[in-house]
Each structure stands twice: as structure tokens, then as C-alpha cells.
């Protein structure tokens, strides 16, 4: 399917970049990096071929010229004139402004510095009079641009891809074989037509003294050893099987028997290349054109009604989605070649100079649906609280889909437009096309620290891992009547990991985001929590609670080193005694401090009451309390001395036991 688009006087080219008498243009391959590959072919009855090449294109022509001789003779040489200093234009002319319609004018870039005549002659010297030549070369050309349509229905979607080709080459492309390449191979502007004389060093005769001995260079033999004379010839590898176009059509025609003859009649037989899959064999969604809505009136319905029955109200059948093209064999064949995706049109096309043509590349059933995406965008202020309506589909075209605009349709209606980023085969894209205000999303984030895992033990130092936990809570409110399926585009900390993500989560660390699904019923709310954890290492005291958690987790791990586990268990028994003693001492020390404070306060109160004769009973109470406190302080002091001795003993024993423990690679958390 081809649609012509006239360009009028948009172009600035005044003639073909390359031309040769007797060699017609047969094939054009357009890339996405500003170059195209052109092939010319024909029967030549002379011993030379003259190519007229623009001066600015001579370098590219010479750098990429490929000649295929099919007549038994060959090309001897290719000669061309060179630029000399007095022929090079020093001053660039100002930009040329040419008028356009409606008062606008394009500014064409100034011509490149070249010979005043504009064209140069490249001569191919041949060694005979009769030749079947096929010549290929690269020249500048506008990039081809993709455009997509996605028609969504209950069972998925139909994806259509179109390619827009612009011809500004200076000549008509008549009946050429056209291929479009999704990808941009490395290409550069060559300067092979300009002479270059590099400066040379000046050599002075200083005698025959050798300052140092140069080292030799050795290259290993790269040629394979010759096989013995009696060795059998190697068996040829079987050719790679590929599906022919007729096989693909037969598979398609199982669902469309009425179109079998028409499809075979319209499409010319082609030899399928390896690894090539025609869209005709994949997109079997083609069918008859969707019927127009039919209005059933009361008059037409009376014949079907029983006598005396009331007439039914007029009904309108639901709108139908646009159907896929009938002749799928007319679509491009998709092939993978050298890591790039190539679309080969099955029939020759004609693109006049200074015009554009839009060709359908594929029409394919793909998994797809219309859902919602919460992805705040500062360019759309309301998206901070409301999600987008999005079209979500998986690329099942067999190759790469280039970046381009896409139109979304559903139930026969246009829903909106979006942009598809480069999409490899099998990848899934989510394309926003409208904002949905019946859904609202609230966001709340908290930060905590959790867990303790053994990281390593070296030289008696214990290092553990803890998780810095970031929990983001999304509360979705649905104000509509229907259930809503929502994807939340969660901004990812690429150094953290998702902890127990909901089923169906797509973690795209490369784009620093994750798509997390959540569903909510009509007029209801739903909560979604995204848990991200980042491990941090720190050294801790052996007697801390974090150390106890980390060691006990290691001891319970069946993957732990049994020798280390044996020593750690013994050391941990000592640690239990040590911790209890330390805890007891801490309690006694706290009690001692409180008694000392109370005793000092009681002494100050007694001193204040010693001359007050009316407070004799109060002095007696304070004196009794002071005596009790002093007695308890003496008991605590004795116990602290005993506990300190026990703590010191257990600490020395524990330190001696852990000194020999070394753990550098503990089991990783699952």
C-alpha cells in the first residue's frame, strides 16, 4: 500500500547526485542516518562508463563504490579529476532563500566548496566491450520516518506501521526496489576526492652510528594447514530453511478462502531470503471491510413481527474498528540482517523527484490493551495527582520499531496520539495519550532501617549489613463506575533493590523506574506499597542486639561454614553469660547512682533541720533513711566488685575465642 505525498518546491537539489548513461536506478535502501544505498544496473557495450557525480558527493561515491560484473570481464580502474588550489572557492556564498507558498521560505544551506562546474566525471575503465554491470554506492538522502496506528479491541490490538520516504535526489525513482532499514549504521563523509600531501620530516646525514638496537616484530601464521591429498572433501552445510511466500499465503488463506485467488493474483512470486518473515504469514487478522452501521426502522421490522405485536424501537449496531488490509502479501517483508531490521517492499514503486511516498510496512496482531499509567510529568501539572490513559502493547513485528508518532483508536473512534520510542522485538511499550481525571493518586514516603546480617569477621571486628528501607505508599481513588487497572511508574533508586514487589512488576533499572500494577473497583480505593532496600555495612559491638541478631541468623543458615559455626556457638554461650553479667552490673550501677543522689539529698535536708527543734520526728525519718541507703550502698559496692571480676573474666575468654574466627564470604541473603 503506497500513498503519494507531493513535496512541491521544498527541495534544494537541482540535479541527481550520481548519474550514468545506460545504468538505470534499480534499488534504493534508505537508512535513519541521512544516507541511502543506491544500485544501478544495465548492459554496457563500451569499454568505459562515465559517471556524473556532484563534487560534494565524489568522496562518498569513491568510498562506497561497489561493482558487480556479470558478463565475464572486469573493471580495470576508476579515474576521476582532483581539485587544485586555484579551483577551490575560498569564500562561501550567503544562504539562498527561495520563495514558498503562504509567505514562508526555506533557507537552504550554502553549497559545499567544489568545482564551479558542480559535476565531476568518474570513469570506469573496462577490459571488454560487453558488460552486465551492477554498481552500488552511498549518497546523502533524507531519513525515512515511521508512523504507527494501534487499533485496540477486546482481544488485543492491530498494529499498523507506515514508512514515509522523501525523494530529494534530483531524479525520479521509477520502478525501484525499495528497502527501509530500522537502525543507523556508522557512516561518515569521506574526503577521497581531495588530494592530501602530508608534511615530511627533514633527515640530516649524521653518520652510521646506531643509537639502540630495534626490536623485531613477529606475526604468527594465520593460514590453515593444507589437507592431505587423500582427505575427503568437507560436506557443505545445509541451507537455512525459510518460509516461502506461498507457504505463508496458504497459511493465511485458511482463514480467508474467498481471497485465495485474489491474493495470489495480485502478488508476484518472490524468493524468500533466509531469516525473512513476511507480514503476510504473521498478521492473519485480515478480513472483509467492516460493515457500515445498519438502522432498522419500524417499517422494515413489521414483516418479522407477530400480528398485534408492538413495533420494536430503532436499534443501531455498534461501531466497528478499522479492519486490517485484505492483501497482506503486499506488505513489506521483515528481515534481520547484521543486527538491523530491514523492511523489503515486495513490489517496485515509483517516487518522483521532490515528492514523498508513504508505504505500509506491516499490519500485525499484537498483545495490547488500554489501561492507566500514573507517571507524574512536570510538563503536565495535573499528572502529579491524576494518571494518564495509555495504550500498552508488545512488539511482535519480528524486528525493531523506530521512534515515531502513533495514533490510538478503539471502537471505531480516535482516542489520541502518542510517541513510540525505539522498541526492540518482544519489548512492551506504554504510550500515554490522554489524562484521566476520574482517578486520583496520593503519595506518601517513609524511611526506616531494618534487619541485621553478618557481613564479615576479621581480626576480632564484627561487620554487619543493615537495610535502609524506603517505603512509598500510593493510594488510588477511583471515582468512576468501572474497575480500573493502573500502572504506577515508580522512580527507582538504582542502588537499591525491590523487596517483595507485587506480582507483575516490571523493574526497569536502566531507565531508573519500575512499573507496578494495582487494581481498584469502581467508587473504591486501593493501596499500593513499594518497598526498596539498600544494604549498608557498619562495625558493631559484639555485645549489641544487632550483633546478636546477625550471628544467630548466621548460625541458623545451613550454608554457613560448620567450623566457624562450632566456634561461634561456644563463644556465644560465653557471650550469654557475659551479657547477663553486664546487664546485672548496669542495673546495680544505676541503683548505686540513684542511692548516692538520694543520700546526698538526705544529708542536705538533715543539715537544714538540725537547729529546728519542732522537726524532731522528720529528722528521725531522714536519719533512718540515710542509714538504710548507706547500708544498701555498701552491699552494691561489694556486688559490683564481684561482678566486675566475673565480667572481666568472661570478656577475656570471649575475646580470646573470637580472635581466631574469620568470615569473609558469608551466605548471601536469598
Amino acid at each position: 500500500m503506497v500513498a503519494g505525498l507531493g513535496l512541491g518546491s521544498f527541495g534544494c537539489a537541482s540535479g541527481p547526485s550520481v548519474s550514468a548513461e545506460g545504468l538505470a536506478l534499480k534499488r534504493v535502501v534508505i537508512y535513519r542516518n541521512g544516507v541511502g544505498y543506491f544500485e544501478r544496473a544495465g548492459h554496457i557495450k563500451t569499454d568505459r562508463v562515465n559517471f556524473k557525480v556532484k563534487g560534494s558527493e565524489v568522496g562518498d561515491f569513491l568510498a562506497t563504490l561497489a561493482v558487480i560484473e556479470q558478463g565475464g570481464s572486469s573493471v580495470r580502474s576508476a579515474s576521476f579529476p582532483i581539485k587544485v588550489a586555484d579551483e577551490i572557492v575560498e569564500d562561501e556564498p550567503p544562504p539562498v532563500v527561495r520563495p514558498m507558498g503562504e509567505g514562508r521560505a526555506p533557507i537552504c544551506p550554502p553549497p559545499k566548496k567544489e568545482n564551479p562546474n558542480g559535476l565531476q566525471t568518474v570513469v570506469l575503465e573496462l577490459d571488454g566491450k560487453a558488460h552486465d554491470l551492477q554498481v552500488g554506492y552511498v549518497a546523502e538522502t533524507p531519513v525515512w520516518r515511521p508512523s504507527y496506528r494501534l487499533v485496540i479491541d477486546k482481544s488485543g490490538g492491530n498494529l499498523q506501521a507506515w514508512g514515509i520516504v522523501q525523494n530529494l535526489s534530483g531524479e525520479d525513482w521509477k520502478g525501484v526496489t525499495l528497502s527501509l532499514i530500522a537502525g543507523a549504521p556508522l557512516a561518515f563523509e569521506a574526503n577521497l576526492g581531495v588530494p592530501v600531501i602530508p608534511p615530511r620530516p627533514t633527515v640530516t646525514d649524521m653518520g652510521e652510528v646506531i643509537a639502540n638496537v630495534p626490536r623485531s616484530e613477529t606475526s604468527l601464521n594465520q593460514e590453515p594447514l593444507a589437507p592431505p591429498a587423500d582427505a575427503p572433501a568437507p560436506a557443505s552445510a545445509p541451507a537455512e530453511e525459510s518460509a516461502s511466500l506461498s507457504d505463508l499465503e496458504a497459511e493465511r488463506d485458511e482463514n480467508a478462502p474467498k481471497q485465495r485467488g485474489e491474493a495470489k493474483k495480485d502478488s508476484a512470486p518472490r524468493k524468500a531470503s533466509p531469516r525473512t518473515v513476511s507480514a503476510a504469514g504473521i498478521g492473519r487478522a485480515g478480513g472483509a471491510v467492516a460493515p457500515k452501521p445498519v438502522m432498522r426502522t419500524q417499517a422494515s421490522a413489521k414483516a418479522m413481527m407477530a400480528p398485534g405485536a408492538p413495533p420494536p424501537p430503532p436499534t443501531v449496531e455498534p461501531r466497528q474498528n478499522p479492519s486490517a488490509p485484505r492483501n497482506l502479501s503486499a506488505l513489506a517483508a521483515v528481515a534481520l540482517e547484521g543486527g538491523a531490521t530491514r523492511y523489503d517492499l515486495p513490489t517496485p514503486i515509483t517516487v518522483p523527484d521532490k515528492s514523498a511516498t508513504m508505504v505500509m510496512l506491516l499490519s500485525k496482531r499484537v498483545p495490547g490493551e488500554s489501561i492507566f499509567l500514573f507517571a507524574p510529568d512536570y510538563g503536565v501539572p495535573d499528572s502529579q495527582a491524576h494518571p494518564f490513559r495509555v495504550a500498552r502493547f508488545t512488539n511482535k513485528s519480528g524486528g525493531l520499531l523506530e521512534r515515531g508518532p502513533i495514533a490510538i483508536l478503539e471502537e471505531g473512534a480516535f482516542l489520541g496520539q502518542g510517541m513510540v520510542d525505539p522498541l526492540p522485538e518482544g519489548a512492551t511499550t506504554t504510550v500515554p495519550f490522554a489524562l484521566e481525571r476520574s482517578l486520583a493518586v496520593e503519595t506518601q514516603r517513609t524511611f526506616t532501617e531494618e534487619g541485621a546480617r553478618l557481613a564479615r569477621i576479621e581480626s576480632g571486628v564484627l561487620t554487619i549489613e543493615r537495610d535502609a528501607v524506603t517505603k512509598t505508599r500510593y493510594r488510588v481513588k477511583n471515582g468512576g463506575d468501572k474497575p480500573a487497572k493502573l500502572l504506577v511508574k515508580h522512580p527507582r533508586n538504582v542502588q537499591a533493590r525491590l523487596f517483595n514487589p507485587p506480582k507483575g512488576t516490571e523493574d526497569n533499572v536502566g531507565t531508573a523506574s519500575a512499573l507496578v500494577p494495582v487494581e481498584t473497583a469502581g467508587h473504591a480505593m486501593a493501596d499500593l506499597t513499594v518497598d526498596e532496600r539498600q544494604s549498608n555495612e557498619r562495625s558493631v559491638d559484639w555485645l549489641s542486639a544487632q550483633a546478636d541478631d546477625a550471628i544467630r541468623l548466621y548460625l541458623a543458615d545451613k550454608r554457613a561454614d560448620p567450623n566457624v559455626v562450632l566456634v561461634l556457638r561456644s563463644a556465644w554461650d560465653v557471650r550469654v553469660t557475659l551479657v547477663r553479667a553486664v546487664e546485672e552490673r548496669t542495673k546495680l550501677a544505676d541503683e548505686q547512682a540513684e542511692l548516692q543522689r538520694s543520700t546526698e539529698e538526705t544529708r542536705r535536708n538533715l543539715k537544714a533541720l538540725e537547729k529546728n527543734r519542732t522537726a524532731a520526728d522528720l529528722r528521725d525519718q531522714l536519719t533512718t533513711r540515710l542509714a538504710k541507703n548507706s547500708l544498701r550502698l555498701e552491699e552494691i559496692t561489694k556486688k559490683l566488685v564481684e561482678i566486675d571480676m566475673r565480667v572481666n573474666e568472661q570478656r577475656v575468654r570471649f575475646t580470646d575465642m573470637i580472635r581466631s574466627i574469620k568470615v569473609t564470604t558469608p551466605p548471601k541473603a536469598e
Side-chain angles (χ1 to χ4, degrees):
M1 295 186 179
V2 180
L5 305 172
L7 288 180
S9 59
F10 279 74
C12 298
S14 58
S17 301
V18 180
S19 61
E21 185 176 356
L23 297 180
L25 185 62
K26 298 294 185 181
R27 185 185 180 201
V28 177
V29 182
I30 303 179
Y31 298 84
R32 294 271 297 167
N33 59 354
V35 299
Y37 174 74
F38 299 83
E39 279 188 4
R40 296 179 179 272
H43 184 74
I44 303 298
K45 296 182 179 180
T46 62
D47 57 357
R48 64 172 55 190
V49 180
N50 295 333
F51 286 88
K52 297 297 183 181
V53 185
K54 279 189 176 181
S56 59
E57 302 285 348
V58 170
D60 287 337
F61 181 78
L62 297 174
T64 59
L65 177 64
V67 180
I68 301 175
E69 170 59 53
Q70 299 178 351
S73 52
S74 61
V75 178
R76 290 180 176 176
S77 64
S79 58
F80 56 94
I82 61 174
K83 299 178 183 179
V84 294
D86 57 356
E87 292 179 338
I88 299 177
V89 181
E90 295 297 335
D91 297 325
E92 293 186 358
V96 179
V97 178
R98 296 178 178 174
M100 288 178 56
E102 299 181 2
R104 295 177 296 172
I107 299 179
C108 299
K112 299 180 181 179
K113 297 178 181 179
E114 56 184 39
N115 260 335
N117 59 13
L119 294 177
Q120 296 187 12
T121 302
V122 178
V123 181
L124 290 185
E125 296 286 350
L126 310 176
D127 63 355
K129 294 294 184 179
H131 306 272
D132 289 326
L133 282 182
Q134 183 176 338
V135 179
Y137 55 89
V138 167
E140 292 182 350
T141 190
V143 300
W144 72 274
R145 300 175 182 178
S147 179
Y148 306 99
R149 320 284 184 267
L150 180 64
V151 182
I152 300 175
D153 53 37
K154 295 180 179 180
S155 61
N158 182 272
L159 177 66
Q160 297 179 5
W162 293 75
I164 301 174
V165 179
Q166 297 170 330
N167 178 10
L168 298 180
S169 64
E171 64 176 321
D172 295 339
W173 298 346
K174 297 181 179 180
V176 300
T177 300
L178 181 64
S179 297
L180 306 181
I181 305 297
L186 181 64
F188 50 85
E189 186 175 353
N191 246 354
L192 299 182
V194 179
V196 177
I197 303 177
R200 295 178 296 164
T202 302
V203 178
T204 304
D205 190 353
M206 299 296 294
E208 297 295 331
V209 178
I210 299 177
N212 51 23
V213 179
R215 298 184 60 182
S216 63
E217 296 290 338
T218 303
S219 298
L220 300 178
N221 183 21
Q222 300 295 317
E223 295 295 332
L225 296 177
D230 56 349
S236 59
E240 184 178 354
E241 297 183 0
S242 61
S244 66
L245 184 60
S246 60
D247 294 337
L248 297 175
E249 287 182 345
E251 181 182 357
R252 183 201 68 231
D253 290 341
E254 291 178 3
N255 295 329
K258 294 183 180 180
Q259 301 171 17
R260 181 185 304 273
E262 180 183 352
K264 292 185 177 180
K265 182 178 180 180
D266 294 343
S267 58
R270 297 179 65 240
K271 183 178 180 181
S273 59
R275 302 183 65 189
T276 300
V277 181
S278 171
I282 304 175
R284 296 194 296 270
V289 177
K292 297 181 179 179
V294 178
M295 179 71 74
R296 296 180 179 175
T297 62
Q298 297 181 8
S300 61
K302 286 184 178 180
M304 297 181 292
M305 292 188 303
T315 59
V316 179
E317 294 186 358
R319 293 174 296 179
Q320 300 294 325
N321 276 328
S323 63
R326 292 184 178 184
N327 187 9
L328 296 180
S329 62
L331 300 178
V334 184
L336 296 177
E337 187 176 81
T341 302
R342 188 182 75 246
Y343 299 97
D344 294 326
L345 296 186
T347 57
I349 69 168
T350 296
V351 185
D353 185 31
K354 299 183 180 64
S355 69
T357 295
M358 187 166 69
V359 295
M360 181 178 282
L361 302 179
L362 61 90
S363 178
K364 181 74 172 61
R365 292 293 302 178
V366 296
E369 60 181 339
S370 176
I371 57 175
F372 304 97
L373 172 69
F374 180 66
D377 187 335
Y378 290 105
V380 186
D382 287 347
S383 66
Q384 305 293 325
H386 302 285
F388 291 99
R389 292 195 66 187
V390 297
R392 182 172 169 84
F393 69 93
T394 302
N395 178 14
K396 294 294 184 180
S397 65
L400 172 71
L401 298 181
E402 282 284 1
R403 186 177 190 272
I406 184 171
I408 314 298
L409 300 97
E410 185 176 11
E411 295 182 357
F414 171 75
L415 299 184
Q417 283 184 291
M419 287 295 296
V420 175
D421 287 327
L423 192 65
E425 162 69 14
T428 300
T429 186
T430 305
V431 184
F433 60 84
L435 195 67
E436 182 59 47
R437 299 181 185 276
S438 65
L439 293 173
V441 182
E442 298 176 356
T443 306
Q444 183 181 10
R445 186 166 296 173
T446 59
F447 303 92
T448 57
E449 198 171 38
E450 298 179 8
R453 299 179 299 276
L454 175 63
R456 60 182 172 275
I457 301 175
E458 288 184 295
S459 302
V461 178
L462 173 62
T463 304
I464 66 170
E465 283 185 350
R466 298 208 74 192
D467 288 333
V469 180
T470 303
K471 291 185 178 181
T472 307
R473 180 185 179 187
Y474 298 94
R475 170 162 288 185
V476 182
K477 298 180 179 179
N478 185 0
D481 298 330
K482 298 180 180 180
K485 180 180 179 181
L486 182 73
L487 287 178
V488 174
K489 185 179 180 181
H490 174 75
R492 285 278 281 112
N493 177 3
V494 295
Q495 297 179 344
R497 69 185 187 279
L498 289 180
F499 182 74
N500 290 336
K503 184 179 180 181
T505 298
E506 300 175 15
D507 192 7
N508 303 319
V509 180
T511 58
S513 65
L515 294 180
V516 189
V518 59
E519 296 185 9
T520 176
H523 298 292
M525 291 191 302
D527 285 334
L528 169 68
T529 300
V530 181
D531 190 336
E532 293 180 283
R533 303 193 175 192
Q534 183 177 358
S535 298
N536 298 314
E537 292 188 358
R538 66 180 66 176
S539 298
V540 295
D541 186 86
W542 283 93
L543 303 184
S544 65
Q546 297 172 2
D548 188 46
D549 293 340
I551 296 299
R552 291 188 181 278
L553 185 63
Y554 179 79
L555 294 177
D557 196 328
K558 296 180 180 180
R559 300 170 296 170
D561 186 343
N563 296 325
V564 174
V565 170
L566 184 62
V567 178
L568 269 178
R569 287 191 186 279
S570 301
W572 228 243
D573 291 339
V574 176
R575 179 191 176 277
V576 171
T577 304
L578 176 60
V579 169
R580 289 175 180 173
V582 170
E583 291 175 351
E584 184 181 359
R585 188 191 187 287
T586 301
K587 292 181 180 179
L588 290 174
D590 292 342
E591 184 181 357
Q592 182 185 45
E594 178 63 25
L595 287 174
Q596 288 176 345
R597 185 193 63 77
S598 177
T599 300
E600 185 63 27
E601 182 181 357
T602 302
R603 287 196 177 102
R604 289 197 301 269
N605 292 337
L606 283 173
K607 187 175 182 180
L609 296 175
E610 64 180 349
K611 296 182 179 180
N612 188 349
R613 297 180 179 179
T614 60
D617 56 341
L618 183 57
R619 285 198 303 270
D620 293 341
Q621 292 179 5
L622 294 176
T623 302
T624 303
R625 182 189 301 171
L626 182 61
K628 290 181 179 179
N629 289 347
S630 299
L631 182 61
R632 179 58 182 164
L633 282 173
E634 291 180 1
E635 295 177 356
I636 291 176
T637 302
K638 292 180 180 179
K639 288 184 178 181
L640 285 175
V641 172
E642 295 175 358
I643 292 175
D644 284 340
M645 295 177 61
R646 190 164 68 250
V647 166
N648 292 335
E649 176 189 354
Q650 298 297 330
R651 192 183 297 276
V652 170
R653 181 176 299 177
F654 179 75
T655 303
D656 186 63
M657 297 178 73
I658 63 174
R659 185 177 288 111
S660 61
I661 301 176
K662 185 174 183 180
V663 177
T664 56
T665 55
K668 296 297 181 181
E670 296 181 351

